[in-house]
Amino acid sequence: MSISVIGAGAFGTALAITLAQNEPVTLWARDATQAAGMQERRENMARLPGVTLPENVTITAELGDTDLSDVVLLAVPMQKIGAFLREHPGRFDGKTLVSCSKGIDVATLQGATALIRQNCPNARAAILTGPSFAADIARGLPTALTLACTDGCEALQTRLSTPTLRLYRTSDTTGAELGGALKNVYAIGAGVVIGAGLGDSARAALMTRSFAEMQRFAAAQGALPETLAGLSGFGDLVLTCTSPLSRNLQFGLSLGKGGAFDRTITVEGVATAKAVSILAEKQAIDTPIAKMIAALTNQEISVREAVQALLARPLKQE
């Protein structure tokens, strides 16, 4: 019995480091050169420089090295989860697969747990999400996250919790994954507001109305209101809309300023905004902020046009 983490980016590496306090961890990297370098230097110099990997973390590029693990954390970009699972049919039978990605798959309009159930029907699906940055987790700073699964969640909660990583459990996988997905969209909007010089009052207004929009959209998918009010919804929204470490916020800042952004950096909110807009249109859900962010990121409208459109909406009761 052991734990494996699939994906040696910043978040996957951070999870491997903290979970190694409980038991040995296998960390899989797609790139063999990266894996060998991390194994030798005991450091992820590209993503988490200055943080030492514990000796009971084994870094490998051989996926077979994870076969003995009964719990596997998927720390790969949301838009690549489906393809990764389809590449390895049957490999994860009987295991617990815990998605650590945030977003909605734009190709299928599904969340991570749905992709797990579809592609790995003999595995148990769970999701780990909430307000967190990889550097904080890796350095042992106090962090609280939501663990969502429909069965056996209490045992998994105990196993994945560490002295500095506190997990709260829920059976509402839909709400947990939508909170983590949607906050990325609205963090782009918060960045646009600040980048365009519209002020902190405007950001507070956008965050508040975004939270209402998150709840409305998630409820239409069957999520529980209390899940969105928790760590995976409101908590993650606050962190991502206010911290300069947020990639989605930084991307929004560049949009608001009209500047360039490093396109090699993963910004999950872009694809998720598109997916949310498509789903909202199909289901007749009012999501004006997500719609504007999708149009902005797709270069269909300007920042000024987006702001004017939102401010010109009919007055309503809160």
Side-chain angles (χ1 to χ4, degrees), residues 186-273:
Y186 301 119
I188 293 175
V192 169
V193 166
I194 298 302
L198 302 180
D200 286 328
S201 296
R203 173 163 56 178
L206 180 129
M207 288 174 62
T208 305
R209 296 312 303 164
S210 293
F211 183 56
E213 194 168 295
M214 284 174 64
Q215 291 177 303
R216 185 164 57 247
F217 181 86
Q221 316 309 315
L224 300 175
E226 54 264 35
T227 307
L228 274 296
L231 289 165
S232 60
F234 178 74
D236 216 355
L237 179 70
V238 171
L239 179 67
T240 316
C241 288
T242 59
S243 173
L245 296 178
S246 164
R247 297 188 304 269
N248 290 279
L249 179 73
Q250 289 297 329
F251 177 69
L253 283 168
S254 70
L255 283 179
K257 293 177 180 178
F261 187 80
D262 185 353
R263 294 289 177 168
T264 65
I265 297 175
T266 301
V267 182
E268 287 286 8
V270 174
T272 302

Side-chain angles (χ1 to χ4, degrees), residues 11 15 73 98-102 113 125-132 137 143-150 153 156-158 160-161 165-180 224-237:
F11 200 68
L15 288 173
L73 278 62
V98 185
S99 170
C100 304
S101 303
K102 299 173 181 179
T113 53
I127 184 166
L128 184 64
T129 184
S132 57
I137 293 175
T143 304
L145 299 177
T146 296
L147 175 68
C149 47
T150 55
C153 207
L156 187 62
Q157 175 191 31
T158 299
L160 298 183
S161 294
L165 182 63
R166 180 177 175 85
L167 304 188
Y168 290 80
R169 68 180 182 273
T170 178
S171 60
D172 182 13
T173 56
T174 298
E177 67 183 14
L178 282 177
L224 300 175
E226 54 264 35
T227 307
L228 274 296
L231 289 165
S232 60
F234 178 74
D236 216 355
L237 179 70

Side-chain angles (χ1 to χ4, degrees), residues 67-121:
D67 286 349
L68 295 178
S69 297
D70 60 318
V71 174
V72 177
L73 278 62
L74 296 174
V76 297
M78 180 63 215
Q79 302 307 317
K80 296 183 179 180
I81 286 181
F84 174 80
L85 295 176
R86 288 191 294 272
E87 286 174 9
H88 306 285
R91 177 176 290 275
F92 302 108
D93 286 356
K95 300 182 185 297
T96 296
L97 288 180
V98 185
S99 170
C100 304
S101 303
K102 299 173 181 179
I104 298 174
D105 180 50
V106 73
T108 64
L109 303 181
Q110 293 179 312
T113 53
L115 290 174
I116 291 172
R117 294 186 186 107
Q118 177 181 313
N119 293 288
C120 305

Side-chain angles (χ1 to χ4, degrees), residues 9-28:
F11 200 68
T13 302
L15 288 173
I17 290 170
T18 193
L19 291 173
Q21 296 177 78
N22 296 343
E23 59 186 289
V25 177
T26 299
L27 176 61
W28 179 82

